[in-house]
Amino acid sequence: MTDRLPHEKGFHVSWDQIHRDARALAWRLDKQGPLEDGAWKAVVAITRGGMAPAMIVSRELDIRTVDTISVKSYDHQSRSSAKVLKSPDKELMGDGEGVLIIDDLVDSGKTLELVRSLFPKAHFATVYAKPMGREQVDTFITEVSQDTWIFFPWDMALQYVEPYRGKD
């Protein structure tokens, strides 16, 4: 048997689905923070994939302080070593206590491992998780198999697809 191409075992996520799943993540995180009444002091999105879920989580939990950490760990669909391109505000972050760090997906766990080394007391949450990286995440919504490629709506365009069998 030949290796599958990424689209052959794909999990296609629509804008509606990412919105529902990010809201479910917010509900799971509600009142779980270390501050008074279980609040969180800030949300930090891991760019770029974490930006949409972080926006939704911050809205749902009424967290007004939002920042980003830019980590590059992929060149198109090929994994490379993770490196920080832009850090969040140092004063805000400290060791990460009270901060929610949000990403769309944990795959191998290398990105979150790097960010966790910088902010060990932060709470790491992703919408989707694969088994290899799951231990790097504190909270997630849906687990998919390691060999599943997730197609996010920001990476997709609508186009015609030929029918599976035959033509009209």
Side-chain angles (χ1 to χ4, degrees):
M1 185 159 162
T2 62
D3 289 338
R4 290 178 185 255
L5 295 171
H7 68 276
E8 291 179 24
K9 189 163 184 192
F11 180 56
H12 293 262
V13 178
S14 68
W15 283 110
D16 287 345
Q17 186 67 49
I18 193 73
H19 190 259
R20 280 191 300 273
D21 289 345
R23 288 187 77 204
L25 184 62
W27 299 335
R28 195 164 282 174
L29 295 165
D30 190 27
K31 297 185 173 34
Q32 301 302 309
L35 305 179
E36 186 178 327
D37 295 327
W40 301 95
K41 74 176 183 180
V43 167
V44 172
I46 297 178
T47 68
R48 293 175 304 223
M51 293 176 77
M55 174 200 56
I56 294 162
V57 168
S58 66
R59 177 188 182 274
E60 292 297 319
L61 299 181
D62 195 28
I63 301 169
R64 298 294 177 142
T65 304
V66 180
D67 203 341
T68 60
I69 182 168
S70 299
V71 179
K72 184 176 182 182
S73 58
Y74 277 89
D75 286 313
H76 188 54
Q77 292 182 347
S78 301
R79 195 174 296 132
S80 60
S81 60
K83 67 179 183 177
V84 175
L85 303 176
K86 181 247 173 221
S87 295
D89 181 72
K90 288 180 184 185
E91 223 175 282
L92 167 71
M93 293 304 293
D95 60 7
E97 176 118 27
V99 175
L100 274 173
I101 297 182
I102 307 285
D103 207 352
D104 55 352
L105 163 73
V106 61
D107 189 325
S108 69
K110 297 298 183 192
T111 296
L112 294 190
E113 183 178 26
L114 172 62
V115 178
R116 190 178 288 278
S117 73
L118 301 171
F119 310 109
K121 292 190 176 178
H123 187 95
F124 289 78
T126 63
V127 181
Y128 306 104
K130 291 185 179 182
M132 280 179 58
R134 202 173 77 208
E135 71 181 36
Q136 292 296 330
V137 157
D138 300 308
T139 305
F140 67 92
I141 294 301
T142 301
E143 184 173 353
V144 297
S145 65
Q146 196 66 42
D147 60 344
T148 297
W149 186 268
I150 300 178
F151 290 93
F152 289 101
W154 46 86
D155 293 328
M156 304 301 296
L158 295 177
Q159 62 184 6
Y160 176 77
V161 175
E162 289 285 335
Y164 179 70
R165 288 192 183 266
K167 298 180 182 188
D168 289 350

